[in-house]
Amino acid sequence: MAAAAAAVPVLVAGAEVAGPGEEAAGAGPPGSVRLARLPLARVKALVKADPDVSLASQEAVFVLARATELFVETIAKDAYVYAQQGKRKTLQRKDLDNAIEAIDEFAFLEGTLD
């Protein structure tokens, strides 16, 4: 299941995440394959910080990392539209607020940045 989630390369801020069997540019020693951009050890540490979680498989940690990456990519792209409308290239908090307010997918985030 985790392999299926990583099978599609995703373009993030001008850098492409390597698909299966491909190398990500600057992702460690030559010949290593890095399918997630977030450090999996850090994600696992965050998961284990939850007192309700006793064990977390590497597959679960990988899926959480990829889901987080895709979420951040999606909200950043949507917020960037509002930055462009303001003739800016840099995201500001108000761009995130506008994206959260305008897009139904982000309704669960309303009030979280207050």
Side-chain angles (χ1 to χ4, degrees), residues 18 23 28 59 65 68 71 109 114:
E23 286 185 37
E59 291 84 7
T68 302
F71 172 76
L109 292 173
D114 296 336

Side-chain angles (χ1 to χ4, degrees), residues 15-69:
E16 191 172 310
V17 175
E22 298 176 355
E23 286 185 37
S32 70
V33 176
R34 183 165 180 169
L35 298 176
R37 298 179 77 76
L38 293 174
L40 297 180
R42 184 71 51 95
V43 173
K44 187 167 189 162
L46 288 169
V47 169
K48 287 189 150 197
D50 184 345
D52 295 333
V53 177
S54 56
L55 293 173
S57 69
Q58 276 303 110
E59 291 84 7
V61 171
F62 174 78
V63 169
L64 280 170
R66 285 294 292 145
T68 302
E69 293 166 11

Side-chain angles (χ1 to χ4, degrees), residues 71-92:
F71 172 76
V72 170
E73 176 186 357
T74 301
I75 196 167
K77 283 181 178 179
D78 291 337
Y80 187 66
V81 170
Y82 292 98
Q84 286 179 320
Q85 288 174 357
K87 308 260 190 270
R88 293 178 281 107
K89 291 184 180 180
T90 304
L91 289 182
Q92 296 177 357

